[in-house]
């Protein structure tokens, strides 16, 4: 089976930084796109950033210039570096991976989530 395990969440003051990591493990042939989503209380889950296996990235407008996504294809890991954090960044952050376990099928996997809290 496949597991995505996130780490790096926590409590930080506004203006501070956090680094989230996500490691995918299990029976994985290749990982296509890796993404970070977040969900704040009472709000829908939203895309924060994504990165393809070739390194192309995209970001939500709200985090552009503050967050950076990167990945290590050899280690099946993705990192979200979050700088200049704001209270509105407070949410549970989820790692997501679109991956292939065989050449015949692409599946979508989620991590368990990690809490990020930014105090004002």
């Amino acid at each position: 089976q496949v597991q995505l395990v996130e780490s790096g969440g926590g409590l930080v003051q506004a203006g501070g930084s956090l680094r989230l990591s996500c490691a995918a493990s299990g029976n994985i042939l290749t990982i296509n796109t890796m993404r970070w989503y977040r969900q704040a209380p009472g709000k829908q889950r939203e895309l924060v950033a994504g990165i393809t296996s070739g390194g192309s990235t995209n970001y939500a407008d709200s985090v552009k210039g503050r967050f950076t996504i990167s990945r290590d294809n050899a280690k099946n890991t993705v990192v979200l570096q979050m700088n200049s954090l704001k209270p509105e960044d407070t949410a549970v952050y989820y790692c997501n991976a679109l991956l292939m376990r065989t050449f015949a099928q692409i599946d979508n996997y989620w991590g368990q989530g990690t809490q990020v809290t930014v105090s004002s």
Side-chain angles (χ1 to χ4, degrees):
Q1 298 303 318
V2 174
Q3 275 192 317
L4 300 183
V5 179
E6 300 116 332
S7 61
L11 173 64
V12 65
Q13 287 189 332
S17 298
L18 282 174
R19 182 181 175 91
L20 303 184
S21 297
C22 173
S25 62
N27 184 20
I28 299 170
L29 182 62
T30 184
I31 300 179
N32 186 345
T33 303
M34 301 189 83
R35 299 182 176 99
W36 286 97
Y37 286 78
R38 67 186 180 187
Q39 187 166 18
K43 294 188 177 181
Q44 288 189 331
R45 190 172 296 189
E46 63 174 357
L47 176 66
V48 176
I51 184 167
T52 67
S53 57
S56 296
T57 60
N58 65 288
Y59 297 92
D61 287 343
S62 59
V63 307
K64 282 180 182 176
R66 300 188 298 122
F67 291 11
T68 302
I69 189 170
S70 60
R71 65 187 281 178
D72 185 328
N73 290 333
K75 297 181 179 179
N76 288 338
T77 58
V78 63
V79 169
L80 185 69
Q81 178 66 44
M82 305 185 294
N83 299 328
S84 303
L85 283 161
K86 304 175 181 180
E88 51 263 44
D89 294 317
T90 296
V92 178
Y93 283 70
Y94 296 91
C95 177
N96 171 268
L98 192 65
L99 61 87
M100 299 179 72
R101 296 174 60 200
T102 70
F103 285 110
Q105 187 174 350
I106 297 178
D107 293 310
N108 201 28
Y109 288 88
W110 293 90
Q112 80 284 357
T114 185
Q115 177 70 46
V116 171
T117 303
V118 184
S119 63
S120 57

